[in-house]
Amino acid sequence: MKKGTEILNSVIGKELREGKMQSFFVDGKLIDRINSTYLKFDKWIRIVTTDDMTKVYEIKDLEKELYSDLKNGYEFPIERIEKHYSEFEKYSGKKLLDWKELVRKDSESMSLGIKLIFDNDLTFIIHNIDYPTDLNEFIFNDQKPEYSTEK
């Protein structure tokens, strides 16, 4: 992983309190529903997976993450994950037990996202769909893409 191993390790054993996602719009048109993922444990973390890299950041102030440049047509709204993915509700209050980075089977240097493992046998995958789309998706079961492996 490019950045954030220590941040993910610091939230193992912590309860997930909330999840938000940041979308990306240009001139009012949705470009990417899941541009960034924000998860609140005892602190907010931001997970970004794009261009074959996954990075995790600790966020001190979520409000500072809101960004819009309406003059140039860019907007990055942040919304609760449940607004678009009701399956996420079952993760609230669950403890994070472990995590794994997803990488390409044929090139382990290419990160495809993160698999989060929660109690009650729940897994939540943030997956970057490879070239040519470079869009993210949430996978709410243990069905990782066939071209990926865990690292």
Side-chain angles (χ1 to χ4, degrees):
M1 181 174 335
K2 193 76 169 172
K3 175 184 170 84
T5 299
E6 66 288 340
I7 296 168
L8 281 171
N9 288 339
S10 75
V11 295
I12 290 176
K14 309 287 190 208
E15 273 188 15
L16 179 64
R17 298 179 185 167
E18 191 175 353
K20 295 190 177 200
M21 60 186 207
Q22 183 179 55
S23 300
F24 173 44
F25 290 81
V26 175
D27 296 327
K29 181 181 176 210
L30 179 64
I31 303 300
D32 189 359
R33 170 67 62 206
I34 309 165
N35 190 57
S36 292
T37 304
Y38 296 88
L39 300 175
K40 184 173 186 179
F41 294 92
D42 58 338
K43 58 188 163 198
W44 280 104
I45 64 171
R46 177 183 182 204
I47 301 169
V48 179
T49 181
T50 186
D51 298 328
D52 305 322
M53 292 185 291
T54 300
K55 298 178 183 178
V56 179
Y57 306 89
E58 184 175 338
I59 302 300
K60 301 290 186 196
D61 184 357
L62 188 61
E63 293 302 312
K64 290 184 179 177
E65 296 292 303
L66 293 171
Y67 172 78
S68 293
D69 181 0
L70 297 178
K71 180 178 148 192
N72 290 314
Y74 300 113
E75 189 173 6
F76 295 89
I78 296 176
E79 301 174 294
R80 294 181 57 85
I81 292 174
E82 296 90 339
K83 180 175 179 181
H84 299 279
Y85 302 93
S86 62
E87 305 98 316
F88 189 77
E89 290 177 20
K90 64 186 171 193
Y91 295 84
S92 183
K94 300 295 186 265
K95 283 187 183 175
L96 181 67
L97 302 178
D98 202 1
W99 65 273
K100 303 289 181 192
E101 182 179 17
L102 295 182
V103 296
R104 287 192 61 90
K105 283 181 180 177
D106 60 355
S107 178
E108 288 194 9
S109 66
M110 296 176 69
S111 181
L112 300 172
I114 293 180
K115 174 182 170 181
L116 301 171
I117 304 161
F118 291 90
D119 53 8
N120 293 5
D121 293 321
L122 293 174
T123 60
F124 175 56
I125 296 173
I126 303 163
H127 170 243
N128 183 253
I129 302 167
D130 210 0
Y131 180 82
T133 60
D134 194 31
L135 297 174
N136 292 309
E137 67 178 344
F138 293 146
I139 301 173
F140 294 97
N141 53 42
D142 205 11
Q143 300 298 313
K144 65 182 183 285
E146 60 187 44
Y147 55 86
S148 71
T149 190
E150 296 172 9
K151 184 174 170 183

PDB file of all heavy atoms in Angstrom, residues 25-58:
ATOM      1  N   PHE A  25     -18.493  15.448  -9.393  1.00  0.00           N
ATOM      2  CA  PHE A  25     -19.352  15.948 -10.461  1.00  0.00           C
ATOM      3  C   PHE A  25     -18.608  17.016 -11.258  1.00  0.00           C
ATOM      4  O   PHE A  25     -17.832  17.781 -10.698  1.00  0.00           O
ATOM      5  CB  PHE A  25     -20.612  16.620  -9.883  1.00  0.00           C
ATOM      6  CG  PHE A  25     -21.583  15.674  -9.246  1.00  0.00           C
ATOM      7  CD1 PHE A  25     -21.395  15.212  -7.957  1.00  0.00           C
ATOM      8  CD2 PHE A  25     -22.717  15.263  -9.941  1.00  0.00           C
ATOM      9  CE1 PHE A  25     -22.306  14.353  -7.367  1.00  0.00           C
ATOM     10  CE2 PHE A  25     -23.639  14.408  -9.356  1.00  0.00           C
ATOM     11  CZ  PHE A  25     -23.430  13.951  -8.066  1.00  0.00           C
ATOM     12  N   VAL A  26     -18.858  17.061 -12.555  1.00  0.00           N
ATOM     13  CA  VAL A  26     -18.369  18.137 -13.409  1.00  0.00           C
ATOM     14  C   VAL A  26     -19.579  18.706 -14.134  1.00  0.00           C
ATOM     15  O   VAL A  26     -20.314  17.966 -14.799  1.00  0.00           O
ATOM     16  CB  VAL A  26     -17.310  17.644 -14.431  1.00  0.00           C
ATOM     17  CG1 VAL A  26     -16.916  18.780 -15.370  1.00  0.00           C
ATOM     18  CG2 VAL A  26     -16.087  17.089 -13.723  1.00  0.00           C
ATOM     19  N   ASP A  27     -19.788  19.999 -13.971  1.00  0.00           N
ATOM     20  CA  ASP A  27     -20.927  20.684 -14.590  1.00  0.00           C
ATOM     21  C   ASP A  27     -22.249  19.976 -14.304  1.00  0.00           C
ATOM     22  O   ASP A  27     -23.091  19.805 -15.177  1.00  0.00           O
ATOM     23  CB  ASP A  27     -20.722  20.828 -16.106  1.00  0.00           C
ATOM     24  CG  ASP A  27     -19.537  21.715 -16.438  1.00  0.00           C
ATOM     25  OD1 ASP A  27     -19.272  22.660 -15.664  1.00  0.00           O
ATOM     26  OD2 ASP A  27     -18.859  21.450 -17.445  1.00  0.00           O
ATOM     27  N   GLY A  28     -22.400  19.494 -13.062  1.00  0.00           N
ATOM     28  CA  GLY A  28     -23.627  18.842 -12.644  1.00  0.00           C
ATOM     29  C   GLY A  28     -23.764  17.390 -13.068  1.00  0.00           C
ATOM     30  O   GLY A  28     -24.732  16.731 -12.707  1.00  0.00           O
ATOM     31  N   LYS A  29     -22.799  16.866 -13.805  1.00  0.00           N
ATOM     32  CA  LYS A  29     -22.852  15.477 -14.271  1.00  0.00           C
ATOM     33  C   LYS A  29     -21.981  14.594 -13.376  1.00  0.00           C
ATOM     34  O   LYS A  29     -20.809  14.892 -13.141  1.00  0.00           O
ATOM     35  CB  LYS A  29     -22.354  15.387 -15.714  1.00  0.00           C
ATOM     36  CG  LYS A  29     -22.408  13.983 -16.269  1.00  0.00           C
ATOM     37  CD  LYS A  29     -21.879  13.933 -17.700  1.00  0.00           C
ATOM     38  CE  LYS A  29     -21.852  12.495 -18.167  1.00  0.00           C
ATOM     39  NZ  LYS A  29     -20.832  12.210 -19.107  1.00  0.00           N
ATOM     40  N   LEU A  30     -22.566  13.488 -12.903  1.00  0.00           N
ATOM     41  CA  LEU A  30     -21.832  12.557 -12.056  1.00  0.00           C
ATOM     42  C   LEU A  30     -20.719  11.878 -12.855  1.00  0.00           C
ATOM     43  O   LEU A  30     -20.966  11.261 -13.884  1.00  0.00           O
ATOM     44  CB  LEU A  30     -22.784  11.496 -11.497  1.00  0.00           C
ATOM     45  CG  LEU A  30     -22.144  10.425 -10.613  1.00  0.00           C
ATOM     46  CD1 LEU A  30     -21.567  11.034  -9.344  1.00  0.00           C
ATOM     47  CD2 LEU A  30     -23.172   9.353 -10.271  1.00  0.00           C
ATOM     48  N   ILE A  31     -19.490  12.013 -12.366  1.00  0.00           N
ATOM     49  CA  ILE A  31     -18.332  11.378 -12.993  1.00  0.00           C
ATOM     50  C   ILE A  31     -17.951  10.112 -12.218  1.00  0.00           C
ATOM     51  O   ILE A  31     -17.662   9.086 -12.809  1.00  0.00           O
ATOM     52  CB  ILE A  31     -17.125  12.347 -13.042  1.00  0.00           C
ATOM     53  CG1 ILE A  31     -17.495  13.630 -13.778  1.00  0.00           C
ATOM     54  CG2 ILE A  31     -15.902  11.670 -13.650  1.00  0.00           C
ATOM     55  CD1 ILE A  31     -17.927  13.438 -15.224  1.00  0.00           C
ATOM     56  N   ASP A  32     -17.953  10.200 -10.884  1.00  0.00           N
ATOM     57  CA  ASP A  32     -17.551   9.075 -10.037  1.00  0.00           C
ATOM     58  C   ASP A  32     -18.361   9.121  -8.752  1.00  0.00           C
ATOM     59  O   ASP A  32     -18.233  10.058  -7.969  1.00  0.00           O
ATOM     60  CB  ASP A  32     -16.048   9.172  -9.739  1.00  0.00           C
ATOM     61  CG  ASP A  32     -15.477   7.942  -9.051  1.00  0.00           C
ATOM     62  OD1 ASP A  32     -16.231   6.989  -8.768  1.00  0.00           O
ATOM     63  OD2 ASP A  32     -14.259   7.950  -8.793  1.00  0.00           O
ATOM     64  N   ARG A  33     -19.216   8.115  -8.521  1.00  0.00           N
ATOM     65  CA  ARG A  33     -20.046   8.076  -7.314  1.00  0.00           C
ATOM     66  C   ARG A  33     -19.180   7.942  -6.067  1.00  0.00           C
ATOM     67  O   ARG A  33     -19.455   8.519  -5.031  1.00  0.00           O
ATOM     68  CB  ARG A  33     -21.046   6.911  -7.410  1.00  0.00           C
ATOM     69  CG  ARG A  33     -21.814   6.605  -6.149  1.00  0.00           C
ATOM     70  CD  ARG A  33     -22.786   7.656  -5.695  1.00  0.00           C
ATOM     71  NE  ARG A  33     -23.824   7.878  -6.668  1.00  0.00           N
ATOM     72  CZ  ARG A  33     -24.497   9.020  -6.782  1.00  0.00           C
ATOM     73  NH1 ARG A  33     -24.231  10.039  -5.986  1.00  0.00           N
ATOM     74  NH2 ARG A  33     -25.424   9.166  -7.685  1.00  0.00           N
ATOM     75  N   ILE A  34     -18.106   7.136  -6.137  1.00  0.00           N
ATOM     76  CA  ILE A  34     -17.253   6.880  -4.965  1.00  0.00           C
ATOM     77  C   ILE A  34     -15.842   7.373  -5.275  1.00  0.00           C
ATOM     78  O   ILE A  34     -14.970   6.603  -5.668  1.00  0.00           O
ATOM     79  CB  ILE A  34     -17.244   5.383  -4.608  1.00  0.00           C
ATOM     80  CG1 ILE A  34     -18.665   4.833  -4.487  1.00  0.00           C
ATOM     81  CG2 ILE A  34     -16.454   5.161  -3.315  1.00  0.00           C
ATOM     82  CD1 ILE A  34     -18.737   3.318  -4.504  1.00  0.00           C
ATOM     83  N   ASN A  35     -15.624   8.645  -5.115  1.00  0.00           N
ATOM     84  CA  ASN A  35     -14.302   9.221  -5.343  1.00  0.00           C
ATOM     85  C   ASN A  35     -13.384   8.949  -4.149  1.00  0.00           C
ATOM     86  O   ASN A  35     -12.218   8.613  -4.314  1.00  0.00           O
ATOM     87  CB  ASN A  35     -14.429  10.723  -5.595  1.00  0.00           C
ATOM     88  CG  ASN A  35     -13.152  11.342  -6.077  1.00  0.00           C
ATOM     89  OD1 ASN A  35     -12.596  10.934  -7.074  1.00  0.00           O
ATOM     90  ND2 ASN A  35     -12.674  12.335  -5.341  1.00  0.00           N
ATOM     91  N   SER A  36     -13.926   9.092  -2.938  1.00  0.00           N
ATOM     92  CA  SER A  36     -13.217   8.795  -1.691  1.00  0.00           C
ATOM     93  C   SER A  36     -14.215   8.191  -0.716  1.00  0.00           C
ATOM     94  O   SER A  36     -15.401   8.502  -0.773  1.00  0.00           O
ATOM     95  CB  SER A  36     -12.644  10.068  -1.058  1.00  0.00           C
ATOM     96  OG  SER A  36     -11.603  10.606  -1.819  1.00  0.00           O
ATOM     97  N   THR A  37     -13.697   7.367   0.198  1.00  0.00           N
ATOM     98  CA  THR A  37     -14.528   6.761   1.239  1.00  0.00           C
ATOM     99  C   THR A  37     -14.026   7.245   2.588  1.00  0.00           C
ATOM    100  O   THR A  37     -12.814   7.220   2.851  1.00  0.00           O
ATOM    101  CB  THR A  37     -14.443   5.222   1.170  1.00  0.00           C
ATOM    102  OG1 THR A  37     -14.824   4.800  -0.141  1.00  0.00           O
ATOM    103  CG2 THR A  37     -15.352   4.580   2.193  1.00  0.00           C
ATOM    104  N   TYR A  38     -14.958   7.672   3.444  1.00  0.00           N
ATOM    105  CA  TYR A  38     -14.636   8.142   4.789  1.00  0.00           C
ATOM    106  C   TYR A  38     -15.303   7.218   5.792  1.00  0.00           C
ATOM    107  O   TYR A  38     -16.514   6.985   5.716  1.00  0.00           O
ATOM    108  CB  TYR A  38     -15.156   9.564   5.008  1.00  0.00           C
ATOM    109  CG  TYR A  38     -14.517  10.578   4.113  1.00  0.00           C
ATOM    110  CD1 TYR A  38     -15.042  10.850   2.851  1.00  0.00           C
ATOM    111  CD2 TYR A  38     -13.385  11.265   4.515  1.00  0.00           C
ATOM    112  CE1 TYR A  38     -14.446  11.784   2.011  1.00  0.00           C
ATOM    113  CE2 TYR A  38     -12.787  12.205   3.681  1.00  0.00           C
ATOM    114  CZ  TYR A  38     -13.326  12.460   2.433  1.00  0.00           C
ATOM    115  OH  TYR A  38     -12.737  13.372   1.612  1.00  0.00           O
ATOM    116  N   LEU A  39     -14.517   6.682   6.712  1.00  0.00           N
ATOM    117  CA  LEU A  39     -15.048   5.808   7.744  1.00  0.00           C
ATOM    118  C   LEU A  39     -14.671   6.363   9.107  1.00  0.00           C
ATOM    119  O   LEU A  39     -13.523   6.754   9.335  1.00  0.00           O
ATOM    120  CB  LEU A  39     -14.485   4.391   7.584  1.00  0.00           C
ATOM    121  CG  LEU A  39     -14.786   3.701   6.251  1.00  0.00           C
ATOM    122  CD1 LEU A  39     -14.076   2.357   6.182  1.00  0.00           C
ATOM    123  CD2 LEU A  39     -16.278   3.546   6.027  1.00  0.00           C
ATOM    124  N   LYS A  40     -15.664   6.379  10.015  1.00  0.00           N
ATOM    125  CA  LYS A  40     -15.396   6.885  11.365  1.00  0.00           C
ATOM    126  C   LYS A  40     -15.363   5.722  12.344  1.00  0.00           C
ATOM    127  O   LYS A  40     -16.335   4.991  12.502  1.00  0.00           O
ATOM    128  CB  LYS A  40     -16.456   7.889  11.801  1.00  0.00           C
ATOM    129  CG  LYS A  40     -16.146   8.488  13.152  1.00  0.00           C
ATOM    130  CD  LYS A  40     -17.088   9.584  13.525  1.00  0.00           C
ATOM    131  CE  LYS A  40     -16.626  10.223  14.820  1.00  0.00           C
ATOM    132  NZ  LYS A  40     -17.511  11.310  15.202  1.00  0.00           N
ATOM    133  N   PHE A  41     -14.218   5.554  12.967  1.00  0.00           N
ATOM    134  CA  PHE A  41     -14.040   4.619  14.066  1.00  0.00           C
ATOM    135  C   PHE A  41     -13.900   5.503  15.308  1.00  0.00           C
ATOM    136  O   PHE A  41     -14.830   6.229  15.619  1.00  0.00           O
ATOM    137  CB  PHE A  41     -12.809   3.741  13.828  1.00  0.00           C
ATOM    138  CG  PHE A  41     -12.972   2.815  12.627  1.00  0.00           C
ATOM    139  CD1 PHE A  41     -12.547   3.196  11.361  1.00  0.00           C
ATOM    140  CD2 PHE A  41     -13.563   1.570  12.786  1.00  0.00           C
ATOM    141  CE1 PHE A  41     -12.701   2.351  10.268  1.00  0.00           C
ATOM    142  CE2 PHE A  41     -13.728   0.719  11.689  1.00  0.00           C
ATOM    143  CZ  PHE A  41     -13.294   1.113  10.433  1.00  0.00           C
ATOM    144  N   ASP A  42     -12.774   5.511  15.971  1.00  0.00           N
ATOM    145  CA  ASP A  42     -12.538   6.495  17.020  1.00  0.00           C
ATOM    146  C   ASP A  42     -11.991   7.786  16.401  1.00  0.00           C
ATOM    147  O   ASP A  42     -11.790   8.783  17.082  1.00  0.00           O
ATOM    148  CB  ASP A  42     -11.595   5.960  18.095  1.00  0.00           C
ATOM    149  CG  ASP A  42     -10.239   5.538  17.547  1.00  0.00           C
ATOM    150  OD1 ASP A  42     -10.140   5.256  16.334  1.00  0.00           O
ATOM    151  OD2 ASP A  42      -9.274   5.472  18.335  1.00  0.00           O
ATOM    152  N   LYS A  43     -11.761   7.748  15.099  1.00  0.00           N
ATOM    153  CA  LYS A  43     -11.318   8.895  14.307  1.00  0.00           C
ATOM    154  C   LYS A  43     -11.783   8.661  12.880  1.00  0.00           C
ATOM    155  O   LYS A  43     -12.115   7.544  12.484  1.00  0.00           O
ATOM    156  CB  LYS A  43      -9.799   9.038  14.353  1.00  0.00           C
ATOM    157  CG  LYS A  43      -9.074   7.782  13.857  1.00  0.00           C
ATOM    158  CD  LYS A  43      -7.587   7.899  14.095  1.00  0.00           C
ATOM    159  CE  LYS A  43      -6.906   6.547  14.002  1.00  0.00           C
ATOM    160  NZ  LYS A  43      -5.593   6.568  14.625  1.00  0.00           N
ATOM    161  N   TRP A  44     -11.820   9.728  12.098  1.00  0.00           N
ATOM    162  CA  TRP A  44     -12.170   9.600  10.683  1.00  0.00           C
ATOM    163  C   TRP A  44     -10.942   9.171   9.903  1.00  0.00           C
ATOM    164  O   TRP A  44      -9.844   9.691  10.124  1.00  0.00           O
ATOM    165  CB  TRP A  44     -12.649  10.942  10.115  1.00  0.00           C
ATOM    166  CG  TRP A  44     -14.063  11.278  10.444  1.00  0.00           C
ATOM    167  CD1 TRP A  44     -14.499  12.187  11.376  1.00  0.00           C
ATOM    168  CD2 TRP A  44     -15.241  10.744   9.833  1.00  0.00           C
ATOM    169  NE1 TRP A  44     -15.866  12.230  11.375  1.00  0.00           N
ATOM    170  CE2 TRP A  44     -16.357  11.357  10.431  1.00  0.00           C
ATOM    171  CE3 TRP A  44     -15.465   9.795   8.824  1.00  0.00           C
ATOM    172  CZ2 TRP A  44     -17.667  11.064  10.071  1.00  0.00           C
ATOM    173  CZ3 TRP A  44     -16.763   9.500   8.467  1.00  0.00           C
ATOM    174  CH2 TRP A  44     -17.846  10.127   9.079  1.00  0.00           C
ATOM    175  N   ILE A  45     -11.149   8.228   8.968  1.00  0.00           N
ATOM    176  CA  ILE A  45     -10.103   7.902   8.019  1.00  0.00           C
ATOM    177  C   ILE A  45     -10.667   8.078   6.607  1.00  0.00           C
ATOM    178  O   ILE A  45     -11.873   7.935   6.391  1.00  0.00           O
ATOM    179  CB  ILE A  45      -9.527   6.475   8.211  1.00  0.00           C
ATOM    180  CG1 ILE A  45     -10.588   5.400   7.959  1.00  0.00           C
ATOM    181  CG2 ILE A  45      -8.902   6.333   9.590  1.00  0.00           C
ATOM    182  CD1 ILE A  45     -10.022   3.987   7.915  1.00  0.00           C
ATOM    183  N   ARG A  46      -9.796   8.415   5.686  1.00  0.00           N
ATOM    184  CA  ARG A  46     -10.170   8.576   4.280  1.00  0.00           C
ATOM    185  C   ARG A  46      -9.411   7.524   3.480  1.00  0.00           C
ATOM    186  O   ARG A  46      -8.190   7.398   3.617  1.00  0.00           O
ATOM    187  CB  ARG A  46      -9.789   9.971   3.784  1.00  0.00           C
ATOM    188  CG  ARG A  46     -10.079  10.186   2.317  1.00  0.00           C
ATOM    189  CD  ARG A  46      -9.599  11.558   1.867  1.00  0.00           C
ATOM    190  NE  ARG A  46      -9.922  11.770   0.473  1.00  0.00           N
ATOM    191  CZ  ARG A  46      -9.268  12.615  -0.309  1.00  0.00           C
ATOM    192  NH1 ARG A  46      -8.271  13.344   0.169  1.00  0.00           N
ATOM    193  NH2 ARG A  46      -9.622  12.754  -1.562  1.00  0.00           N
ATOM    194  N   ILE A  47     -10.153   6.786   2.638  1.00  0.00           N
ATOM    195  CA  ILE A  47      -9.545   5.760   1.794  1.00  0.00           C
ATOM    196  C   ILE A  47      -9.715   6.180   0.342  1.00  0.00           C
ATOM    197  O   ILE A  47     -10.831   6.437  -0.117  1.00  0.00           O
ATOM    198  CB  ILE A  47     -10.191   4.382   2.039  1.00  0.00           C
ATOM    199  CG1 ILE A  47     -10.029   3.990   3.515  1.00  0.00           C
ATOM    200  CG2 ILE A  47      -9.584   3.333   1.108  1.00  0.00           C
ATOM    201  CD1 ILE A  47     -10.834   2.795   3.938  1.00  0.00           C
ATOM    202  N   VAL A  48      -8.593   6.270  -0.353  1.00  0.00           N
ATOM    203  CA  VAL A  48      -8.587   6.656  -1.762  1.00  0.00           C
ATOM    204  C   VAL A  48      -7.888   5.540  -2.526  1.00  0.00           C
ATOM    205  O   VAL A  48      -6.756   5.177  -2.204  1.00  0.00           O
ATOM    206  CB  VAL A  48      -7.821   7.985  -1.986  1.00  0.00           C
ATOM    207  CG1 VAL A  48      -7.795   8.352  -3.460  1.00  0.00           C
ATOM    208  CG2 VAL A  48      -8.436   9.098  -1.153  1.00  0.00           C
ATOM    209  N   THR A  49      -8.568   5.004  -3.524  1.00  0.00           N
ATOM    210  CA  THR A  49      -7.944   3.992  -4.357  1.00  0.00           C
ATOM    211  C   THR A  49      -8.182   4.364  -5.818  1.00  0.00           C
ATOM    212  O   THR A  49      -9.308   4.464  -6.273  1.00  0.00           O
ATOM    213  CB  THR A  49      -8.435   2.568  -3.997  1.00  0.00           C
ATOM    214  OG1 THR A  49      -7.778   1.621  -4.830  1.00  0.00           O
ATOM    215  CG2 THR A  49      -9.912   2.414  -4.089  1.00  0.00           C
ATOM    216  N   THR A  50      -7.081   4.637  -6.505  1.00  0.00           N
ATOM    217  CA  THR A  50      -7.137   5.079  -7.899  1.00  0.00           C
ATOM    218  C   THR A  50      -5.764   4.916  -8.530  1.00  0.00           C
ATOM    219  O   THR A  50      -4.749   4.908  -7.819  1.00  0.00           O
ATOM    220  CB  THR A  50      -7.623   6.538  -8.002  1.00  0.00           C
ATOM    221  OG1 THR A  50      -7.800   6.873  -9.373  1.00  0.00           O
ATOM    222  CG2 THR A  50      -6.670   7.514  -7.357  1.00  0.00           C
ATOM    223  N   ASP A  51      -5.729   4.801  -9.826  1.00  0.00           N
ATOM    224  CA  ASP A  51      -4.460   4.728 -10.552  1.00  0.00           C
ATOM    225  C   ASP A  51      -3.514   3.684  -9.973  1.00  0.00           C
ATOM    226  O   ASP A  51      -2.323   3.934  -9.785  1.00  0.00           O
ATOM    227  CB  ASP A  51      -3.767   6.094 -10.587  1.00  0.00           C
ATOM    228  CG  ASP A  51      -4.592   7.143 -11.307  1.00  0.00           C
ATOM    229  OD1 ASP A  51      -5.324   6.771 -12.242  1.00  0.00           O
ATOM    230  OD2 ASP A  51      -4.516   8.324 -10.922  1.00  0.00           O
ATOM    231  N   ASP A  52      -4.047   2.507  -9.635  1.00  0.00           N
ATOM    232  CA  ASP A  52      -3.261   1.383  -9.124  1.00  0.00           C
ATOM    233  C   ASP A  52      -2.602   1.653  -7.777  1.00  0.00           C
ATOM    234  O   ASP A  52      -1.635   0.993  -7.408  1.00  0.00           O
ATOM    235  CB  ASP A  52      -2.185   0.956 -10.137  1.00  0.00           C
ATOM    236  CG  ASP A  52      -2.770   0.629 -11.490  1.00  0.00           C
ATOM    237  OD1 ASP A  52      -3.865   0.031 -11.514  1.00  0.00           O
ATOM    238  OD2 ASP A  52      -2.150   0.971 -12.504  1.00  0.00           O
ATOM    239  N   MET A  53      -3.126   2.629  -7.020  1.00  0.00           N
ATOM    240  CA  MET A  53      -2.593   2.948  -5.696  1.00  0.00           C
ATOM    241  C   MET A  53      -3.737   3.069  -4.705  1.00  0.00           C
ATOM    242  O   MET A  53      -4.812   3.536  -5.053  1.00  0.00           O
ATOM    243  CB  MET A  53      -1.831   4.276  -5.719  1.00  0.00           C
ATOM    244  CG  MET A  53      -0.549   4.259  -6.506  1.00  0.00           C
ATOM    245  SD  MET A  53       0.341   5.816  -6.357  1.00  0.00           S
ATOM    246  CE  MET A  53      -0.743   6.921  -7.265  1.00  0.00           C
ATOM    247  N   THR A  54      -3.474   2.644  -3.477  1.00  0.00           N
ATOM    248  CA  THR A  54      -4.420   2.838  -2.387  1.00  0.00           C
ATOM    249  C   THR A  54      -3.710   3.618  -1.293  1.00  0.00           C
ATOM    250  O   THR A  54      -2.589   3.286  -0.912  1.00  0.00           O
ATOM    251  CB  THR A  54      -4.933   1.494  -1.849  1.00  0.00           C
ATOM    252  OG1 THR A  54      -5.594   0.803  -2.916  1.00  0.00           O
ATOM    253  CG2 THR A  54      -5.908   1.694  -0.707  1.00  0.00           C
ATOM    254  N   LYS A  55      -4.388   4.656  -0.803  1.00  0.00           N
ATOM    255  CA  LYS A  55      -3.834   5.487   0.261  1.00  0.00           C
ATOM    256  C   LYS A  55      -4.897   5.688   1.328  1.00  0.00           C
ATOM    257  O   LYS A  55      -6.075   5.841   1.019  1.00  0.00           O
ATOM    258  CB  LYS A  55      -3.398   6.849  -0.286  1.00  0.00           C
ATOM    259  CG  LYS A  55      -2.303   6.781  -1.328  1.00  0.00           C
ATOM    260  CD  LYS A  55      -1.971   8.161  -1.846  1.00  0.00           C
ATOM    261  CE  LYS A  55      -0.935   8.099  -2.946  1.00  0.00           C
ATOM    262  NZ  LYS A  55      -0.640   9.436  -3.492  1.00  0.00           N
ATOM    263  N   VAL A  56      -4.450   5.716   2.585  1.00  0.00           N
ATOM    264  CA  VAL A  56      -5.344   5.940   3.709  1.00  0.00           C
ATOM    265  C   VAL A  56      -4.791   7.114   4.509  1.00  0.00           C
ATOM    266  O   VAL A  56      -3.589   7.171   4.800  1.00  0.00           O
ATOM    267  CB  VAL A  56      -5.457   4.687   4.604  1.00  0.00           C
ATOM    268  CG1 VAL A  56      -6.382   4.944   5.785  1.00  0.00           C
ATOM    269  CG2 VAL A  56      -5.946   3.493   3.785  1.00  0.00           C
ATOM    270  N   TYR A  57      -5.680   8.036   4.869  1.00  0.00           N
ATOM    271  CA  TYR A  57      -5.301   9.236   5.610  1.00  0.00           C
ATOM    272  C   TYR A  57      -6.150   9.347   6.870  1.00  0.00           C
ATOM    273  O   TYR A  57      -7.316   8.955   6.860  1.00  0.00           O
ATOM    274  CB  TYR A  57      -5.562  10.507   4.777  1.00  0.00           C
ATOM    275  CG  TYR A  57      -4.923  10.520   3.425  1.00  0.00           C
ATOM    276  CD1 TYR A  57      -5.584  10.007   2.312  1.00  0.00           C
ATOM    277  CD2 TYR A  57      -3.652  11.046   3.245  1.00  0.00           C
ATOM    278  CE1 TYR A  57      -5.004  10.021   1.062  1.00  0.00           C
ATOM    279  CE2 TYR A  57      -3.060  11.068   1.987  1.00  0.00           C
ATOM    280  CZ  TYR A  57      -3.745  10.560   0.909  1.00  0.00           C
ATOM    281  OH  TYR A  57      -3.165  10.566  -0.344  1.00  0.00           O
ATOM    282  N   GLU A  58      -5.591   9.905   7.917  1.00  0.00           N
ATOM    283  CA  GLU A  58      -6.393  10.268   9.079  1.00  0.00           C
ATOM    284  C   GLU A  58      -6.923  11.678   8.840  1.00  0.00           C
ATOM    285  O   GLU A  58      -6.179  12.560   8.403  1.00  0.00           O
ATOM    286  CB  GLU A  58      -5.555  10.233  10.358  1.00  0.00           C
ATOM    287  CG  GLU A  58      -6.379  10.521  11.590  1.00  0.00           C
ATOM    288  CD  GLU A  58      -5.588  10.371  12.877  1.00  0.00           C
ATOM    289  OE1 GLU A  58      -4.556   9.666  12.892  1.00  0.00           O
ATOM    290  OE2 GLU A  58      -6.008  10.977  13.873  1.00  0.00           O
TER     291      GLU A  58
END
